[in-house]
Amino acid sequence: METRLLVGKENAADTPFTSGTTVFPPGCGAPLHSHNCAEQVTILQGTAEAMINGKTNVLGPLDTSFVPANAPHYFRNTGAEPLIILWIYGAQDVTRTFTETGETVPHMSARDQV
């Protein structure tokens, strides 16, 4: 898995949002988690299973999802090719809370192992 920051406080100090991409190999995905802010996720390539607030959908290229703040969710690659997602958070300081453990970590920190 590879995550890349596009815009965030590290490279744009005054930005009101944080954006980037993540590439998931076939069969991989993020564990169930939530964020302290709203998130938009757009599928750039591949096929995903997305679960948001208990509802599961299959998504393909250019399908876009809205994830409310604090909503448990995941995106998983269900296809044979890499899944590439574009994510945009509605905050400059983003955290991730892992549902299984309740641990909250700063987004893209060393402990944010997705």
Side-chain angles (χ1 to χ4, degrees), residues 13-53:
D14 294 333
T15 185
F17 62 89
T18 304
S19 66
T21 59
T22 299
V23 179
F24 295 98
C28 293
L32 191 62
H33 65 279
S34 59
H35 301 285
N36 60 319
C37 57
E39 177 183 18
Q40 173 188 316
V41 174
T42 300
I43 307 301
L44 299 180
Q45 175 185 305
T47 305
E49 174 185 88
M51 195 283 292
I52 302 167
N53 263 340

Side-chain angles (χ1 to χ4, degrees), residues 1-3 22 24 29-33 35 95-101 103-114:
M1 188 178 70
E2 177 186 332
T3 296
T22 299
F24 295 98
L32 191 62
H33 65 279
H35 301 285
T95 63
R96 182 185 315 270
T97 300
F98 296 100
T99 304
E100 184 176 329
T101 64
E103 181 182 15
T104 299
V105 299
H107 180 255
M108 295 188 71
S109 68
R111 292 178 46 213
D112 187 16
Q113 301 298 315
V114 176

Side-chain angles (χ1 to χ4, degrees), residues 41-48 59-64 75 83-86:
V41 174
T42 300
I43 307 301
L44 299 180
Q45 175 185 305
T47 305
L59 305 172
L62 301 183
D63 286 339
T64 299
F75 290 84
L83 168 67
I84 303 174
I85 66 169
L86 168 69

